[in-house]
Amino acid sequence: MKSLLLSGLLILSLISQSKSIAQQSHASRLEGLMQQWLTVEQQREHMRLSWQEEKQVLNQRLELLNTECTELEKQLNKHSGLRSKAQLEREALASAQNTLESRQQRLKAALERAHHHINTLLPRLPAPLAEHWKGNLNKLTLLENHPSKRLDLYLDMYKSFDRFQEKVTLHQTLMPIANHGEQEILVDQIYLGVARGWYLSRDGQYAGYGEAGSNEWQWHSDNTLSDELRALMDATRRPEKATILPITLSLSGDTL
C-alpha cells in the first residue's frame, strides 16, 4: 500500500513538472514573437522617417527655386527706371530662360535618381505593388519629353509604397510551388507591409512565407504554417470576428 502511494505521488509530481515546462515554453515563444514584432515595427518606423526626410529635402529645394525666382523679379523691378522697356523685356526673357533651363537640369537629375532608385527597388517588392509600379514604368516610356508628367508618376509610385506599407493586403494569384513541378497553383497571399508576406493554397496543402531579399522578393515553402495562415486570412476577411493570433515571422530578409 505504501509503495502504491509513493508511485501516485511520483506521477503527480511528473505531471506538475510537465505542465510547468509547457507553460514556460509557451511564454518563451510568445516573448520571442513579441520581440520579432517589435523589430519589424522599428524597421518600419525607420523607413518612414527616412522617407519623411527625403520629402523635406525636396520641398526645401522647391522653396529655394521659388525664392530665387522672386529675388530675380525684385532686382528687375528695382532697376526698371534706368532701362528701356525693350531692354527690360530682353533681360527678363533671358533671365527666365536661364532660370527655366536651370530648373530643367535639376528636374532631369532628380528624375534620373528616382528612376534608378525605383528600378533598384522594384524586384524586391511584393507582387501586387510591383505590378502597379511596372504599369507606371510602361507609361514613363511614352513621356520622355514631359518631365512634369514623369514626376507625377514617380510621386504616385512612392505614395503607393507608403499606402501598401501602412496596411495588411490580401491577394489571390497563381504561383509556382517548390516540389510541385512546373505547374502553378492558385494561392491566397497576405502581406504585412512591403517586407513580409505569406501564402496558402486553397486546399491548405501548400503554405509558406515571403520576404524582401537583398536583390529580389523571395518565397520560402513551409507547410507547417497552414493552420496559422488559414486562421489569419479568415480574420483578415472578417475583421469583425477577428481575435489576436500568433504568426511565425522570419526576419532573415533585408529592410526596404
Side-chain angles (χ1 to χ4, degrees), residues 41-105:
E41 285 298 304
Q42 290 172 356
Q43 293 174 346
R44 170 179 171 274
E45 181 65 14
H46 176 72
M47 181 169 57
R48 186 186 68 80
L49 291 175
S50 296
W51 170 236
Q52 290 296 330
E53 292 175 359
E54 181 66 19
K55 288 196 293 187
Q56 183 177 0
V57 171
L58 291 174
N59 288 333
Q60 290 173 349
R61 290 177 179 173
L62 288 174
E63 290 176 0
L64 180 59
L65 289 174
N66 290 330
T67 301
E68 291 175 354
C69 183
T70 302
E71 187 61 29
L72 286 172
E73 292 176 353
K74 289 181 179 180
Q75 292 298 325
L76 288 174
N77 292 332
K78 184 185 295 185
H79 300 286
S80 60
L82 304 176
R83 300 170 183 170
S84 67
K85 183 178 180 179
Q87 184 179 4
L88 285 174
E89 289 179 350
R90 287 195 299 270
E91 291 181 356
L93 288 173
S95 177
Q97 182 177 359
N98 291 335
T99 301
L100 180 60
E101 290 175 353
S102 176
R103 287 183 176 181
Q104 287 177 334
Q105 290 298 321

Short mmCIF file of all heavy atoms in Angstrom, two decimals, residues 41-105:
data_model
loop_
_atom_site.label_atom_id
_atom_site.label_comp_id
_atom_site.label_asym_id
_atom_site.label_seq_id
_atom_site.Cartn_x
_atom_site.Cartn_y
_atom_site.Cartn_z
N GLU A 41 8.43 46.55 -36.37
CA GLU A 41 7.88 47.89 -36.21
C GLU A 41 8.98 48.95 -36.21
O GLU A 41 8.83 50.04 -36.76
CB GLU A 41 7.09 47.96 -34.90
CG GLU A 41 5.74 47.27 -34.96
CD GLU A 41 4.82 47.89 -35.99
OE1 GLU A 41 4.57 49.09 -35.92
OE2 GLU A 41 4.41 47.16 -36.91
N GLN A 42 10.13 48.61 -35.58
CA GLN A 42 11.26 49.55 -35.59
C GLN A 42 11.78 49.77 -36.99
O GLN A 42 12.10 50.90 -37.38
CB GLN A 42 12.36 49.01 -34.67
CG GLN A 42 12.02 49.06 -33.19
CD GLN A 42 13.05 48.35 -32.33
OE1 GLN A 42 13.99 47.74 -32.84
NE2 GLN A 42 12.88 48.41 -31.01
N GLN A 43 11.86 48.70 -37.79
CA GLN A 43 12.32 48.83 -39.17
C GLN A 43 11.33 49.68 -39.98
O GLN A 43 11.72 50.52 -40.79
CB GLN A 43 12.46 47.44 -39.81
CG GLN A 43 13.58 46.61 -39.20
CD GLN A 43 13.60 45.20 -39.74
OE1 GLN A 43 12.65 44.75 -40.36
NE2 GLN A 43 14.68 44.49 -39.49
N ARG A 44 10.05 49.47 -39.75
CA ARG A 44 9.03 50.23 -40.46
C ARG A 44 9.12 51.71 -40.11
O ARG A 44 9.02 52.58 -40.99
CB ARG A 44 7.65 49.67 -40.09
CG ARG A 44 6.47 50.48 -40.57
CD ARG A 44 5.17 49.79 -40.15
NE ARG A 44 4.04 50.64 -40.41
CZ ARG A 44 3.59 51.57 -39.56
NH1 ARG A 44 4.20 51.75 -38.41
NH2 ARG A 44 2.54 52.31 -39.87
N GLU A 45 9.32 52.01 -38.82
CA GLU A 45 9.43 53.40 -38.40
C GLU A 45 10.67 54.06 -38.98
O GLU A 45 10.64 55.23 -39.39
CB GLU A 45 9.46 53.47 -36.87
CG GLU A 45 9.54 54.90 -36.29
CD GLU A 45 8.31 55.72 -36.60
OE1 GLU A 45 7.29 55.13 -37.02
OE2 GLU A 45 8.36 56.95 -36.44
N HIS A 46 11.77 53.31 -39.06
CA HIS A 46 13.00 53.84 -39.65
C HIS A 46 12.78 54.19 -41.12
O HIS A 46 13.23 55.26 -41.59
CB HIS A 46 14.11 52.82 -39.52
CG HIS A 46 15.39 53.24 -40.19
ND1 HIS A 46 16.21 54.23 -39.71
CD2 HIS A 46 15.97 52.79 -41.35
CE1 HIS A 46 17.24 54.39 -40.52
NE2 HIS A 46 17.13 53.53 -41.52
N MET A 47 12.09 53.34 -41.86
CA MET A 47 11.83 53.61 -43.27
C MET A 47 10.92 54.82 -43.44
O MET A 47 11.12 55.65 -44.32
CB MET A 47 11.20 52.37 -43.92
CG MET A 47 10.89 52.53 -45.40
SD MET A 47 10.47 50.95 -46.16
CE MET A 47 9.12 50.46 -45.13
N ARG A 48 9.91 54.94 -42.56
CA ARG A 48 9.01 56.08 -42.65
C ARG A 48 9.75 57.40 -42.40
O ARG A 48 9.55 58.39 -43.10
CB ARG A 48 7.87 55.92 -41.64
CG ARG A 48 6.78 56.99 -41.75
CD ARG A 48 5.76 56.84 -40.63
NE ARG A 48 6.35 57.18 -39.34
CZ ARG A 48 6.53 58.43 -38.91
NH1 ARG A 48 6.14 59.45 -39.66
NH2 ARG A 48 7.08 58.66 -37.73
N LEU A 49 10.62 57.40 -41.38
CA LEU A 49 11.38 58.62 -41.08
C LEU A 49 12.32 58.99 -42.22
O LEU A 49 12.49 60.16 -42.54
CB LEU A 49 12.16 58.41 -39.77
CG LEU A 49 11.32 58.30 -38.49
CD1 LEU A 49 12.20 57.99 -37.30
CD2 LEU A 49 10.53 59.59 -38.26
N SER A 50 12.94 57.97 -42.85
CA SER A 50 13.84 58.24 -43.98
C SER A 50 13.09 58.88 -45.13
O SER A 50 13.58 59.82 -45.76
CB SER A 50 14.49 56.92 -44.44
OG SER A 50 15.30 56.39 -43.43
N TRP A 51 11.89 58.39 -45.38
CA TRP A 51 11.09 58.95 -46.47
C TRP A 51 10.66 60.37 -46.14
O TRP A 51 10.66 61.26 -47.00
CB TRP A 51 9.89 58.05 -46.74
CG TRP A 51 8.88 58.64 -47.67
CD1 TRP A 51 7.56 58.84 -47.45
CD2 TRP A 51 9.11 59.11 -49.01
NE1 TRP A 51 6.96 59.39 -48.55
CE2 TRP A 51 7.89 59.58 -49.51
CE3 TRP A 51 10.24 59.19 -49.81
CZ2 TRP A 51 7.76 60.10 -50.79
CZ3 TRP A 51 10.12 59.72 -51.09
CH2 TRP A 51 8.89 60.16 -51.57
N GLN A 52 10.31 60.65 -44.87
CA GLN A 52 9.93 61.99 -44.48
C GLN A 52 11.10 62.96 -44.66
O GLN A 52 10.92 64.10 -45.09
CB GLN A 52 9.46 61.99 -43.02
CG GLN A 52 8.13 61.30 -42.79
CD GLN A 52 6.98 62.00 -43.48
OE1 GLN A 52 7.01 63.21 -43.68
NE2 GLN A 52 5.98 61.23 -43.88
N GLU A 53 12.31 62.51 -44.33
CA GLU A 53 13.48 63.36 -44.51
C GLU A 53 13.72 63.68 -45.98
O GLU A 53 14.05 64.80 -46.35
CB GLU A 53 14.71 62.68 -43.90
CG GLU A 53 14.67 62.57 -42.38
CD GLU A 53 15.84 61.78 -41.83
OE1 GLU A 53 16.65 61.30 -42.65
OE2 GLU A 53 15.94 61.65 -40.60
N GLU A 54 13.54 62.67 -46.84
CA GLU A 54 13.74 62.88 -48.27
C GLU A 54 12.71 63.87 -48.82
O GLU A 54 13.04 64.75 -49.62
CB GLU A 54 13.63 61.54 -49.00
CG GLU A 54 13.83 61.62 -50.52
CD GLU A 54 15.25 62.02 -50.89
OE1 GLU A 54 16.15 61.88 -50.04
OE2 GLU A 54 15.45 62.50 -52.02
N LYS A 55 11.47 63.74 -48.38
CA LYS A 55 10.44 64.67 -48.85
C LYS A 55 10.74 66.10 -48.38
O LYS A 55 10.50 67.06 -49.11
CB LYS A 55 9.06 64.22 -48.34
CG LYS A 55 8.53 62.98 -49.03
CD LYS A 55 7.04 62.78 -48.79
CE LYS A 55 6.76 62.46 -47.36
NZ LYS A 55 5.33 62.09 -47.15
N GLN A 56 11.26 66.20 -47.17
CA GLN A 56 11.58 67.53 -46.65
C GLN A 56 12.68 68.18 -47.48
O GLN A 56 12.62 69.38 -47.78
CB GLN A 56 12.01 67.42 -45.19
CG GLN A 56 12.30 68.77 -44.54
CD GLN A 56 12.66 68.63 -43.08
OE1 GLN A 56 12.70 67.53 -42.54
NE2 GLN A 56 12.93 69.73 -42.41
N VAL A 57 13.69 67.40 -47.88
CA VAL A 57 14.78 67.93 -48.72
C VAL A 57 14.23 68.41 -50.06
O VAL A 57 14.59 69.49 -50.55
CB VAL A 57 15.86 66.86 -48.93
CG1 VAL A 57 16.87 67.32 -49.97
CG2 VAL A 57 16.57 66.57 -47.61
N LEU A 58 13.33 67.63 -50.67
CA LEU A 58 12.75 68.02 -51.95
C LEU A 58 11.93 69.31 -51.81
O LEU A 58 11.99 70.19 -52.67
CB LEU A 58 11.86 66.89 -52.49
CG LEU A 58 12.59 65.63 -52.94
CD1 LEU A 58 11.58 64.53 -53.31
CD2 LEU A 58 13.50 65.91 -54.13
N ASN A 59 11.17 69.42 -50.74
CA ASN A 59 10.39 70.64 -50.52
C ASN A 59 11.29 71.85 -50.33
O ASN A 59 10.99 72.95 -50.82
CB ASN A 59 9.49 70.46 -49.30
CG ASN A 59 8.33 69.51 -49.55
OD1 ASN A 59 7.90 69.36 -50.71
ND2 ASN A 59 7.84 68.86 -48.52
N GLN A 60 12.40 71.66 -49.63
CA GLN A 60 13.33 72.77 -49.44
C GLN A 60 13.94 73.23 -50.76
O GLN A 60 14.13 74.43 -50.99
CB GLN A 60 14.43 72.34 -48.47
CG GLN A 60 13.95 72.17 -47.02
CD GLN A 60 15.02 71.60 -46.12
OE1 GLN A 60 16.06 71.14 -46.58
NE2 GLN A 60 14.78 71.63 -44.81
N ARG A 61 14.22 72.27 -51.64
CA ARG A 61 14.78 72.63 -52.94
C ARG A 61 13.77 73.42 -53.77
O ARG A 61 14.11 74.39 -54.46
CB ARG A 61 15.20 71.37 -53.69
CG ARG A 61 16.43 70.68 -53.08
CD ARG A 61 16.76 69.39 -53.80
NE ARG A 61 17.95 68.76 -53.22
CZ ARG A 61 18.39 67.56 -53.57
NH1 ARG A 61 17.74 66.85 -54.50
NH2 ARG A 61 19.47 67.05 -53.00
N LEU A 62 12.51 73.01 -53.71
CA LEU A 62 11.47 73.73 -54.44
C LEU A 62 11.31 75.15 -53.89
O LEU A 62 11.15 76.12 -54.66
CB LEU A 62 10.14 72.97 -54.35
CG LEU A 62 10.05 71.68 -55.16
CD1 LEU A 62 8.73 70.97 -54.85
CD2 LEU A 62 10.16 71.96 -56.65
N GLU A 63 11.36 75.27 -52.57
CA GLU A 63 11.25 76.61 -51.97
C GLU A 63 12.43 77.49 -52.37
O GLU A 63 12.27 78.69 -52.61
CB GLU A 63 11.19 76.47 -50.45
CG GLU A 63 9.88 75.86 -49.94
CD GLU A 63 9.90 75.65 -48.43
OE1 GLU A 63 10.93 76.00 -47.81
OE2 GLU A 63 8.91 75.16 -47.90
N LEU A 64 13.60 76.90 -52.46
CA LEU A 64 14.78 77.65 -52.87
C LEU A 64 14.64 78.17 -54.30
O LEU A 64 14.98 79.33 -54.60
CB LEU A 64 16.03 76.77 -52.75
CG LEU A 64 17.36 77.43 -53.15
CD1 LEU A 64 17.63 78.66 -52.30
CD2 LEU A 64 18.50 76.44 -53.04
N LEU A 65 14.13 77.34 -55.19
CA LEU A 65 13.91 77.77 -56.57
C LEU A 65 12.90 78.92 -56.65
O LEU A 65 13.09 79.88 -57.39
CB LEU A 65 13.43 76.58 -57.41
CG LEU A 65 14.47 75.50 -57.71
CD1 LEU A 65 13.81 74.32 -58.41
CD2 LEU A 65 15.61 76.05 -58.56
N ASN A 66 11.83 78.82 -55.88
CA ASN A 66 10.84 79.89 -55.87
C ASN A 66 11.42 81.18 -55.31
O ASN A 66 11.12 82.28 -55.79
CB ASN A 66 9.62 79.46 -55.04
CG ASN A 66 8.83 78.37 -55.72
OD1 ASN A 66 8.78 78.30 -56.96
ND2 ASN A 66 8.18 77.52 -54.94
N THR A 67 12.27 81.06 -54.29
CA THR A 67 12.91 82.24 -53.71
C THR A 67 13.84 82.91 -54.72
O THR A 67 13.88 84.15 -54.83
CB THR A 67 13.70 81.85 -52.45
OG1 THR A 67 12.82 81.26 -51.50
CG2 THR A 67 14.38 83.07 -51.83
N GLU A 68 14.59 82.10 -55.47
CA GLU A 68 15.48 82.65 -56.49
C GLU A 68 14.70 83.40 -57.55
O GLU A 68 15.11 84.49 -58.00
CB GLU A 68 16.29 81.52 -57.11
CG GLU A 68 17.32 80.90 -56.17
CD GLU A 68 18.02 79.71 -56.80
OE1 GLU A 68 17.62 79.31 -57.91
OE2 GLU A 68 18.96 79.19 -56.19
N CYS A 69 13.58 82.84 -57.96
CA CYS A 69 12.75 83.49 -58.99
C CYS A 69 12.21 84.82 -58.46
O CYS A 69 12.21 85.83 -59.17
CB CYS A 69 11.61 82.56 -59.39
SG CYS A 69 10.57 83.20 -60.71
N THR A 70 11.75 84.81 -57.21
CA THR A 70 11.22 86.05 -56.61
C THR A 70 12.30 87.11 -56.50
O THR A 70 12.06 88.31 -56.75
CB THR A 70 10.65 85.74 -55.21
OG1 THR A 70 9.62 84.76 -55.33
CG2 THR A 70 10.07 86.99 -54.58
N GLU A 71 13.49 86.69 -56.13
CA GLU A 71 14.60 87.64 -55.99
C GLU A 71 14.97 88.26 -57.33
O GLU A 71 15.27 89.46 -57.43
CB GLU A 71 15.81 86.95 -55.37
CG GLU A 71 16.97 87.87 -55.03
CD GLU A 71 16.61 88.92 -54.00
OE1 GLU A 71 15.71 88.65 -53.18
OE2 GLU A 71 17.20 90.02 -54.04
N LEU A 72 14.96 87.47 -58.38
CA LEU A 72 15.24 87.99 -59.72
C LEU A 72 14.22 89.05 -60.13
O LEU A 72 14.56 90.08 -60.71
CB LEU A 72 15.26 86.84 -60.73
CG LEU A 72 16.47 85.91 -60.70
CD1 LEU A 72 16.24 84.72 -61.62
CD2 LEU A 72 17.74 86.66 -61.11
N GLU A 73 12.97 88.78 -59.82
CA GLU A 73 11.92 89.74 -60.16
C GLU A 73 12.09 91.06 -59.39
O GLU A 73 11.88 92.16 -59.94
CB GLU A 73 10.55 89.13 -59.86
CG GLU A 73 10.18 87.97 -60.78
CD GLU A 73 8.87 87.32 -60.40
OE1 GLU A 73 8.32 87.70 -59.33
OE2 GLU A 73 8.40 86.45 -61.14
N LYS A 74 12.49 90.95 -58.11
CA LYS A 74 12.72 92.17 -57.33
C LYS A 74 13.86 93.00 -57.91
O LYS A 74 13.79 94.23 -57.97
CB LYS A 74 13.04 91.78 -55.88
CG LYS A 74 11.85 91.24 -55.10
CD LYS A 74 12.27 90.91 -53.67
CE LYS A 74 11.09 90.39 -52.88
NZ LYS A 74 11.48 90.05 -51.47
N GLN A 75 14.94 92.33 -58.31
CA GLN A 75 16.08 93.04 -58.88
C GLN A 75 15.71 93.74 -60.19
O GLN A 75 16.15 94.87 -60.45
CB GLN A 75 17.23 92.06 -59.12
CG GLN A 75 17.85 91.50 -57.85
CD GLN A 75 18.49 92.57 -56.99
OE1 GLN A 75 19.05 93.54 -57.49
NE2 GLN A 75 18.37 92.39 -55.67
N LEU A 76 14.91 93.07 -60.98
CA LEU A 76 14.47 93.69 -62.24
C LEU A 76 13.61 94.92 -61.97
O LEU A 76 13.75 95.96 -62.64
CB LEU A 76 13.70 92.67 -63.08
CG LEU A 76 14.54 91.55 -63.72
CD1 LEU A 76 13.63 90.54 -64.38
CD2 LEU A 76 15.51 92.14 -64.74
N ASN A 77 12.70 94.81 -61.01
CA ASN A 77 11.83 95.95 -60.69
C ASN A 77 12.61 97.12 -60.12
O ASN A 77 12.27 98.29 -60.37
CB ASN A 77 10.76 95.50 -59.69
CG ASN A 77 9.77 94.53 -60.29
OD1 ASN A 77 9.53 94.55 -61.51
ND2 ASN A 77 9.19 93.66 -59.46
N LYS A 78 13.67 96.84 -59.36
CA LYS A 78 14.45 97.91 -58.74
C LYS A 78 15.13 98.81 -59.79
O LYS A 78 15.28 100.02 -59.60
CB LYS A 78 15.50 97.28 -57.82
CG LYS A 78 16.33 98.30 -57.04
CD LYS A 78 17.42 97.61 -56.25
CE LYS A 78 16.83 96.71 -55.18
NZ LYS A 78 17.89 96.11 -54.32
N HIS A 79 15.56 98.21 -60.88
CA HIS A 79 16.31 98.97 -61.90
C HIS A 79 15.49 99.27 -63.14
O HIS A 79 16.03 99.67 -64.17
CB HIS A 79 17.56 98.18 -62.30
CG HIS A 79 18.48 97.91 -61.16
ND1 HIS A 79 19.28 98.87 -60.59
CD2 HIS A 79 18.72 96.77 -60.45
CE1 HIS A 79 19.99 98.35 -59.59
NE2 HIS A 79 19.66 97.07 -59.48
N SER A 80 14.18 99.09 -63.05
CA SER A 80 13.35 99.28 -64.25
C SER A 80 13.37 100.72 -64.76
O SER A 80 13.22 100.98 -65.96
CB SER A 80 11.92 98.85 -63.95
OG SER A 80 11.38 99.64 -62.89
N GLY A 81 13.53 101.69 -63.85
CA GLY A 81 13.52 103.09 -64.28
C GLY A 81 14.76 103.50 -65.05
O GLY A 81 14.77 104.57 -65.67
N LEU A 82 15.81 102.73 -65.03
CA LEU A 82 17.06 103.08 -65.70
C LEU A 82 17.22 102.43 -67.07
O LEU A 82 18.21 102.67 -67.76
CB LEU A 82 18.25 102.69 -64.81
CG LEU A 82 18.24 103.29 -63.39
CD1 LEU A 82 19.42 102.74 -62.59
CD2 LEU A 82 18.27 104.81 -63.46
N ARG A 83 16.29 101.61 -67.46
CA ARG A 83 16.45 100.87 -68.70
C ARG A 83 15.22 101.05 -69.57
O ARG A 83 14.13 101.33 -69.10
CB ARG A 83 16.67 99.39 -68.41
CG ARG A 83 17.91 99.13 -67.56
CD ARG A 83 17.96 97.71 -67.11
NE ARG A 83 19.12 97.47 -66.24
CZ ARG A 83 19.32 96.37 -65.55
NH1 ARG A 83 18.45 95.38 -65.62
NH2 ARG A 83 20.39 96.24 -64.79
N SER A 84 15.44 100.86 -70.81
CA SER A 84 14.32 100.96 -71.74
C SER A 84 13.44 99.73 -71.62
O SER A 84 13.85 98.69 -71.12
CB SER A 84 14.83 101.10 -73.18
OG SER A 84 15.48 99.88 -73.55
N LYS A 85 12.20 99.91 -72.07
CA LYS A 85 11.25 98.82 -71.99
C LYS A 85 11.73 97.61 -72.79
O LYS A 85 11.62 96.46 -72.33
CB LYS A 85 9.89 99.28 -72.52
CG LYS A 85 8.80 98.23 -72.42
CD LYS A 85 7.47 98.78 -72.92
CE LYS A 85 6.39 97.73 -72.81
NZ LYS A 85 5.06 98.25 -73.27
N ALA A 86 12.29 97.84 -73.97
CA ALA A 86 12.76 96.74 -74.80
C ALA A 86 13.90 95.99 -74.12
O ALA A 86 13.97 94.75 -74.16
CB ALA A 86 13.20 97.26 -76.16
N GLN A 87 14.81 96.76 -73.52
CA GLN A 87 15.95 96.14 -72.86
C GLN A 87 15.49 95.30 -71.66
O GLN A 87 16.00 94.19 -71.42
CB GLN A 87 16.93 97.22 -72.38
CG GLN A 87 18.20 96.67 -71.75
CD GLN A 87 19.17 97.75 -71.32
OE1 GLN A 87 18.86 98.95 -71.42
NE2 GLN A 87 20.32 97.34 -70.82
N LEU A 88 14.51 95.84 -70.91
CA LEU A 88 13.98 95.09 -69.78
C LEU A 88 13.33 93.78 -70.23
O LEU A 88 13.49 92.74 -69.58
CB LEU A 88 12.96 95.94 -69.04
CG LEU A 88 13.52 97.07 -68.17
CD1 LEU A 88 12.38 97.91 -67.61
CD2 LEU A 88 14.35 96.50 -67.03
N GLU A 89 12.63 93.86 -71.33
CA GLU A 89 11.97 92.65 -71.83
C GLU A 89 13.00 91.60 -72.25
O GLU A 89 12.83 90.41 -71.98
CB GLU A 89 11.05 93.00 -72.99
CG GLU A 89 9.81 93.79 -72.58
CD GLU A 89 8.93 94.15 -73.76
OE1 GLU A 89 9.39 93.96 -74.92
OE2 GLU A 89 7.80 94.62 -73.54
N ARG A 90 14.06 92.07 -72.93
CA ARG A 90 15.10 91.13 -73.35
C ARG A 90 15.77 90.49 -72.15
O ARG A 90 16.01 89.27 -72.12
CB ARG A 90 16.13 91.84 -74.23
CG ARG A 90 15.65 92.19 -75.63
CD ARG A 90 16.83 92.54 -76.53
NE ARG A 90 17.56 93.71 -76.04
CZ ARG A 90 17.28 94.97 -76.38
NH1 ARG A 90 16.27 95.21 -77.22
NH2 ARG A 90 17.99 95.97 -75.91
N GLU A 91 16.11 91.30 -71.16
CA GLU A 91 16.77 90.76 -69.98
C GLU A 91 15.84 89.83 -69.18
O GLU A 91 16.28 88.82 -68.62
CB GLU A 91 17.25 91.90 -69.09
CG GLU A 91 18.40 92.69 -69.71
CD GLU A 91 18.89 93.80 -68.81
OE1 GLU A 91 18.25 93.99 -67.73
OE2 GLU A 91 19.88 94.46 -69.15
N ALA A 92 14.55 90.21 -69.13
CA ALA A 92 13.59 89.36 -68.42
C ALA A 92 13.45 88.00 -69.11
O ALA A 92 13.41 86.95 -68.44
CB ALA A 92 12.23 90.05 -68.34
N LEU A 93 13.40 88.04 -70.44
CA LEU A 93 13.30 86.79 -71.18
C LEU A 93 14.55 85.94 -71.00
O LEU A 93 14.48 84.71 -70.83
CB LEU A 93 13.06 87.07 -72.67
CG LEU A 93 11.67 87.60 -73.04
CD1 LEU A 93 11.63 88.01 -74.51
CD2 LEU A 93 10.62 86.54 -72.76
N ALA A 94 15.72 86.60 -71.05
CA ALA A 94 16.97 85.86 -70.87
C ALA A 94 17.06 85.26 -69.47
O ALA A 94 17.47 84.11 -69.28
CB ALA A 94 18.16 86.78 -71.13
N SER A 95 16.64 86.06 -68.47
CA SER A 95 16.67 85.55 -67.10
C SER A 95 15.69 84.39 -66.92
O SER A 95 16.02 83.38 -66.27
CB SER A 95 16.31 86.68 -66.13
OG SER A 95 16.26 86.21 -64.80
N ALA A 96 14.51 84.55 -67.49
CA ALA A 96 13.51 83.48 -67.38
C ALA A 96 13.99 82.21 -68.07
O ALA A 96 13.78 81.10 -67.56
CB ALA A 96 12.18 83.94 -67.99
N GLN A 97 14.64 82.41 -69.22
CA GLN A 97 15.16 81.25 -69.94
C GLN A 97 16.25 80.55 -69.14
O GLN A 97 16.28 79.32 -69.05
CB GLN A 97 15.70 81.68 -71.30
CG GLN A 97 16.21 80.51 -72.13
CD GLN A 97 16.68 80.94 -73.51
OE1 GLN A 97 16.61 82.12 -73.88
NE2 GLN A 97 17.17 79.99 -74.28
N ASN A 98 17.15 81.34 -68.55
CA ASN A 98 18.21 80.74 -67.74
C ASN A 98 17.64 80.00 -66.52
O ASN A 98 18.10 78.91 -66.17
CB ASN A 98 19.18 81.82 -67.27
CG ASN A 98 20.01 82.39 -68.41
OD1 ASN A 98 20.22 81.72 -69.42
ND2 ASN A 98 20.47 83.63 -68.25
N THR A 99 16.65 80.64 -65.89
CA THR A 99 16.02 80.00 -64.73
C THR A 99 15.33 78.70 -65.13
O THR A 99 15.44 77.68 -64.44
CB THR A 99 15.01 80.96 -64.09
OG1 THR A 99 15.67 82.16 -63.68
CG2 THR A 99 14.35 80.31 -62.88
N LEU A 100 14.63 78.77 -66.26
CA LEU A 100 13.92 77.58 -66.74
C LEU A 100 14.90 76.46 -67.08
O LEU A 100 14.67 75.29 -66.73
CB LEU A 100 13.07 77.93 -67.96
CG LEU A 100 12.27 76.78 -68.60
CD1 LEU A 100 11.30 76.19 -67.58
CD2 LEU A 100 11.53 77.25 -69.84
N GLU A 101 15.99 76.81 -67.75
CA GLU A 101 16.98 75.80 -68.10
C GLU A 101 17.61 75.19 -66.85
O GLU A 101 17.86 73.97 -66.79
CB GLU A 101 18.05 76.41 -69.00
CG GLU A 101 17.55 76.75 -70.40
CD GLU A 101 18.61 77.47 -71.23
OE1 GLU A 101 19.67 77.82 -70.66
OE2 GLU A 101 18.37 77.67 -72.43
N SER A 102 17.86 76.04 -65.86
CA SER A 102 18.43 75.54 -64.61
C SER A 102 17.46 74.58 -63.91
O SER A 102 17.86 73.52 -63.42
CB SER A 102 18.76 76.72 -63.68
OG SER A 102 19.24 76.26 -62.43
N ARG A 103 16.18 74.97 -63.90
CA ARG A 103 15.18 74.09 -63.29
C ARG A 103 15.06 72.77 -64.05
O ARG A 103 14.92 71.70 -63.44
CB ARG A 103 13.83 74.80 -63.26
CG ARG A 103 13.72 75.92 -62.25
CD ARG A 103 12.33 76.50 -62.24
NE ARG A 103 12.18 77.52 -61.21
CZ ARG A 103 11.05 78.18 -60.98
NH1 ARG A 103 9.98 77.92 -61.71
NH2 ARG A 103 10.99 79.10 -60.03
N GLN A 104 15.12 72.87 -65.35
CA GLN A 104 15.00 71.66 -66.16
C GLN A 104 16.17 70.70 -65.89
O GLN A 104 15.98 69.49 -65.82
CB GLN A 104 14.93 72.02 -67.64
CG GLN A 104 13.61 72.64 -68.06
CD GLN A 104 13.60 73.05 -69.53
OE1 GLN A 104 14.65 73.32 -70.12
NE2 GLN A 104 12.41 73.11 -70.11
N GLN A 105 17.36 71.26 -65.74
CA GLN A 105 18.52 70.43 -65.44
C GLN A 105 18.38 69.76 -64.07
O GLN A 105 18.69 68.57 -63.92
CB GLN A 105 19.80 71.26 -65.50
CG GLN A 105 20.19 71.72 -66.89
CD GLN A 105 20.47 70.53 -67.82
OE1 GLN A 105 21.06 69.53 -67.41
NE2 GLN A 105 20.04 70.64 -69.07
#
